[in-house]
């Protein structure tokens, strides 16, 4: 038989510290979930929830933008698309795989499309808007 002496004050302090760390981690995760607006070619702005690629939760059918965050804080869109699997875990797996292939560190998710048709229209609007923004950036960069 082995006996162990436990100092109650030390045990309580360690337990309290662990609970505080857990609460802080939850708070940081909540702070990381922020919002970003992406504009389509139509001029309409679409609100997206922002997640780190590896901390994105399983998702229902949704529009997404895979993003690389630059050192200056600017979000660079790497890919714009939609996931429409019935299983949220499959949608998440697809997004993470595509993000890893492209070197993305964030995923911006738009969940407000009411149906598949609207989701496709939003995807097209965002893709076209991104192409126009890229062209404007290139033309502007050459002029200076």
């Amino acid at each position: 038989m082995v006996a162990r002496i436990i100092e109650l004050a030390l045990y309580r302090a360690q337990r309290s510290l662990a609970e505080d760390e857990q609460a802080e981690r939850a708070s940081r995760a909540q702070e990381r979930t922020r919002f970003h607006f992406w504009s389509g070619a139509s001029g309409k702005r679409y609100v997206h929830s922002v997640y780190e690629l590896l901390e994105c939760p399983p998702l229902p059918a949704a529009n997404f933008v895979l993003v690389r965050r630059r050192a200056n804080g600017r979000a660079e869109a790497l890919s714009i698309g939609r996931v429409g699997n019935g299983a949220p875990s499959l949608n998440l797996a697809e997004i993470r795989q595509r993000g890893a292939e492209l070197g993305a560190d964030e995923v911006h998710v738009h969940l407000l499309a009411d149906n598949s048709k609207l989701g496709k229209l939003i995807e097209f609007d965002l893709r076209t808007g991104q192409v126009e923004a890229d062209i404007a950036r290139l033309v502007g960069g050459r002029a200076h």
Side-chain angles (χ1 to χ4, degrees), residues 39-116:
S39 296
S42 67
K44 186 172 180 180
R45 292 170 34 129
Y46 302 94
V47 65
H48 289 69
S49 298
V50 177
Y51 300 96
E52 289 184 25
L53 185 62
L54 297 178
E55 294 183 6
C56 184
L59 299 167
N63 292 80
F64 66 88
V65 180
L66 291 170
V67 172
R68 179 180 300 131
R69 185 68 62 173
R70 294 292 181 186
N72 65 4
R74 189 175 74 80
E76 175 188 6
L78 303 174
S79 178
I80 297 170
R82 298 178 51 255
V83 287
N85 291 302
S89 60
L90 290 177
N91 292 330
L92 177 59
E94 182 180 333
I95 287 172
R96 283 186 178 165
Q97 179 181 2
R98 289 174 73 179
E101 291 170 350
L102 295 170
D105 51 19
E106 291 180 356
V107 59
H108 297 197
V109 182
H110 179 74
L111 295 165
L112 300 178
D114 292 333
N115 56 51
S116 177

Side-chain angles (χ1 to χ4, degrees), residues 5-65:
I5 299 173
I6 298 174
E7 291 184 39
L8 190 56
L10 181 60
Y11 172 77
R12 284 184 180 162
Q14 288 173 339
R15 185 174 169 194
S16 177
L17 182 60
E19 289 171 353
D20 290 347
E21 286 176 3
Q22 199 172 32
E24 185 178 332
R25 264 188 255 120
S27 175
R28 275 188 270 140
Q30 200 171 28
E31 287 173 10
R32 280 192 298 258
T33 304
R34 54 193 185 275
F35 300 99
H36 185 94
F37 286 88
W38 289 95
S39 296
S42 67
K44 186 172 180 180
R45 292 170 34 129
Y46 302 94
V47 65
H48 289 69
S49 298
V50 177
Y51 300 96
E52 289 184 25
L53 185 62
L54 297 178
E55 294 183 6
C56 184
L59 299 167
N63 292 80
F64 66 88
V65 180

